[in-house]
């Protein structure tokens, strides 16, 4: 049974007391749980080691997709392939951060990879700030967490400057309009970049100007002047840009080719984001203790989970019984994407029957743990629960 520790002061109250509620957005605050998951030090170490090992495995699987030209099978839009190769073959295009979603890791259950949110992972404020503040508000030792996320992100931004000395330390961070949670995640990234020495600006993607000849520009509202920025972070999925803005893909390809800017996360992260890579991982590392069997057809005689290649927040997911009958399904907007089938595994559960999925952030190394709590399929209604290492 998972061990939960209810705390008298809620994370919402603590954030508001500190003036940090701006970081989260009003749609995020209600799902913050007023409990923490208790884990052992050895379990925290195992999550860290799993994230580091998995990232190396993802690099090998990404190289396999490129070498064998399996882009179409992975659902990669053809207009992104050139940009993916450009960024993959240039070590200056660092993968800034992502989040591994993992089953198990506590109560003696082995850690198993569910998927890698490599491109536009969220839950940054909750993981980096909320659970830390929650412990502090309740008189607990806030260092008793597997949580160096903010510091590690700052280090990643410093490394980006070090390997791109020909570019200026100017960073524009963009999200799409109407998503307060995305704004909060971008705000935290901006603070990490500021500490790393960047001049930062924020604006929605529809306000950004792109030129294949000159680079990426932002119009300063104070003087109306267009200012060039040499680094651009976009909390917008690469597959959405490829499908909805093909001309922008062409421009970004030229911008990267001509060293006019570095785009974060790089286009090659779509190789990791595609759930097809779970099948490639199983081919490369069959029966690896961190992996679940995955194929492009239902697994014979085994319970499995049907997922779309680019589904998000549990949408368009089906849990299938060993005989192929349906156990549970979620609807969504991603049903037209191809599907993969991953061996089903139980999540740790509490006494109320809620499931817990670990999220381990990776930013050059494993650096932060948090839990999402919900039903059999964790969707956009799932709550966030912090942790304490005892």
């Amino acid at each position: 049974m998972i061990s939960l520790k209810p705390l008298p002061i809620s994370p919402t109250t603590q954030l508001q007391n500190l003036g940090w509620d701006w970081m989260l957005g009003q749609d995020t605050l209600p799902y913050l749980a007023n409990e923490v998951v208790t884990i052992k030090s050895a379990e925290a170490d195992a999550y860290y080691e799993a994230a580091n090992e998995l990232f190396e495995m993802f690099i090998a699987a990404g190289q396999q997709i490129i070498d064998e030209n399996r882009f179409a099978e992975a659902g990669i839009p053809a207009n992104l392939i050139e940009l993916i190769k450009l960024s993959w073959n240039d070590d200056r295009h660092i993968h800034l951060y992502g989040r591994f979603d993992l089953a198990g890791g506590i109560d003696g259950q082995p850690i198993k990879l569910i998927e890698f949110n490599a491109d536009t992972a969220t839950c940054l404020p909750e993981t980096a700030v909320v659970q830390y503040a929650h412990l502090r508000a309740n008189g607990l030792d806030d260092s008793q967490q597997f949580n160096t996320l903010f510091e590690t992100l700052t280090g990643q931004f410093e490394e980006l400057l070090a390997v791109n000395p020909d570019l200026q330390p100017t960073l524009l961070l963009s999200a799409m309009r109407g998503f307060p949670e995305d704004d909060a995640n971008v705000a935290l990234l901006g603070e990490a970049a500021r500490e790393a020495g960047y001049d930062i600006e924020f604006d929605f993607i529809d306000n950004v100007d792109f030129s294949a000849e000159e680079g990426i520009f932002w119009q300063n509202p104070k003087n109306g002047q267009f200012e060039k920025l040499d680094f651009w972070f976009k909390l917008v999925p690469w597959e959405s840009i490829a499908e909805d803005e093909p001309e922008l893909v062409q421009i970004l390809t030229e911008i990267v080719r001509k060293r006019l800017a570095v785009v974060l996360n790089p286009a090659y992260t779509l190789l990791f984001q595609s759930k097809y890579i779970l099948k490639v991982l199983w081919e490369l590392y069959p029966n690896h203790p961190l992996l679940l069997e995955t194929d492009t057809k239902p697994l014979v005689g085994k319970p499995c989970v049907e997922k779309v290649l680019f589904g998000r927040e549990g949408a368009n997911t089906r849990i299938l019984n060993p005989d192929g009958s349906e156990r549970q399904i979620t609807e969504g907007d991603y049903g037209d994407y191809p599907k993969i089938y991953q061996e089903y595994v139980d999540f740790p559960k509490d006494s109320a029957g809620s499931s817990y999925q670990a999220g381990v952030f990776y930013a050059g190394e494993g650096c932060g743990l948090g839990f999402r709590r919900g039903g059999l399929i964790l969707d956009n209604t799932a709550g966030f629960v912090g942790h304490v290492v005892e």
Side-chain angles (χ1 to χ4, degrees):
M1 188 64 63
I2 198 166
S3 176
L4 286 178
K5 178 179 290 187
L7 299 179
I9 301 177
S10 74
T12 301
T13 301
Q14 172 66 350
L15 285 167
Q16 291 169 339
N17 289 344
L18 293 171
W20 288 347
D21 53 336
W22 62 270
M23 182 178 287
L24 293 167
Q26 294 181 358
D27 66 337
T28 305
L29 289 172
Y31 83 92
L32 301 173
N34 195 36
E35 295 113 0
V36 290
V37 176
T38 301
I39 67 170
K40 300 178 179 66
S41 179
E43 292 169 336
D45 291 342
Y47 280 128
Y48 171 79
E49 292 164 3
N52 295 341
E53 183 173 0
L54 284 168
F55 191 77
E56 293 303 314
M57 293 161 65
F58 267 79
I59 292 174
Q63 189 68 61
Q64 187 91 343
I65 293 173
I66 293 172
D67 291 345
E68 297 182 354
N69 195 31
R70 296 169 71 174
F71 296 100
E73 295 171 52
I76 305 296
N79 60 348
L80 269 178
I81 293 174
E82 185 177 4
L83 183 53
I84 286 173
K85 290 181 177 179
L86 282 171
S87 58
W88 182 266
N89 293 321
D90 187 339
D91 290 341
R92 294 172 292 187
H93 294 269
I94 293 173
H95 178 235
L96 180 62
Y97 81 101
R99 189 189 75 239
F100 288 105
D101 287 344
L102 306 169
I106 49 181
D107 297 336
Q109 296 184 20
I111 295 172
K112 296 290 184 180
L113 172 68
I114 300 301
E115 58 197 49
F116 187 24
N117 297 275
D119 182 17
T120 56
T122 55
C123 285
L124 285 168
E126 299 92 315
T127 304
V129 176
V130 173
Q131 56 178 343
Y132 150 82
H134 197 197
L135 293 190
R136 172 174 283 195
N138 288 277
L140 299 174
D141 184 351
D142 53 54
S143 68
Q144 291 298 106
Q145 288 186 334
F146 169 25
N147 186 11
T148 59
L149 177 53
F150 186 83
E151 297 85 351
T152 309
L153 282 170
T154 300
Q156 283 287 86
F157 279 117
E158 291 172 345
E159 179 68 11
L160 274 163
L161 287 182
V163 300
N164 290 281
D166 55 320
L167 301 181
Q168 296 299 310
T170 53
L171 171 67
L172 176 64
L173 301 106
S174 300
M176 295 185 292
R177 292 182 188 273
F179 297 92
E181 181 187 353
D182 289 358
D183 299 343
N185 281 270
V186 166
L188 185 135
L189 287 166
E191 288 304 307
R194 196 194 307 275
E195 287 207 8
Y198 289 77
D199 295 325
I200 64 169
E201 302 293 350
F202 300 94
D203 214 334
F204 296 112
I205 188 171
D206 54 273
N207 279 346
V208 183
D209 276 25
F210 303 91
S211 166
E213 290 74 38
E214 299 180 73
I216 298 174
F217 292 83
W218 167 79
Q219 188 173 20
N220 189 328
K222 294 179 181 178
N223 56 24
Q225 298 296 310
F226 283 90
E227 300 176 3
K228 183 178 185 297
L229 296 108
D230 286 0
F231 295 85
W232 180 52
F233 176 86
K234 68 348 101 323
L235 200 65
V236 182
W238 274 113
E239 72 272 18
S240 298
I241 295 174
E243 293 163 6
D244 300 336
E245 301 288 345
E247 291 183 6
L248 178 55
V249 171
Q250 294 177 359
I251 295 171
L252 290 173
T253 301
E254 290 306 308
I255 286 173
V256 170
R257 188 199 316 280
K258 296 173 182 175
R259 291 289 298 162
L260 297 172
V262 165
V263 181
L264 305 166
N265 272 310
Y268 66 73
T269 52
L270 194 57
L271 297 174
F272 302 159
Q273 185 74 36
S274 170
K275 295 181 184 66
Y276 182 82
I277 203 168
L278 300 172
K279 177 181 186 296
V280 179
L281 286 166
W282 188 256
E283 294 170 7
L284 291 175
Y285 308 99
N287 301 304
H288 189 285
L290 292 172
L291 300 180
L292 295 166
E293 182 179 355
T294 306
D295 207 337
T296 51
K297 58 184 182 297
L299 307 179
V300 177
K302 295 182 180 180
C304 59
V305 182
E306 178 189 87
K307 303 179 179 181
V308 290
L309 295 190
F310 294 112
R312 293 171 187 270
E313 295 186 314
N316 300 103
T317 299
R318 288 199 305 158
I319 299 177
L320 303 178
N321 295 312
D323 62 1
S325 60
E326 189 175 277
R327 181 177 177 186
Q328 189 163 334
I329 183 172
T330 57
E331 303 297 332
D333 300 326
Y334 309 103
D336 292 338
Y337 284 117
K339 299 172 177 60
I340 56 96
Y341 297 84
Q342 183 184 55
E343 181 183 352
Y344 174 82
V345 64
D346 284 317
F347 289 112
K349 290 182 172 57
D350 61 21
S351 58
S354 296
S355 298
Y356 287 74
Q357 176 181 269
V360 178
F361 277 94
Y362 183 92
E365 64 177 333
C367 57
L369 169 67
F371 290 88
R372 293 178 70 220
R373 176 172 67 185
L376 273 182
I377 299 174
L378 291 164
D379 57 18
N380 59 4
T381 65
F384 179 86
V385 186
H387 74 285
V388 63
V389 179
E390 292 189 337

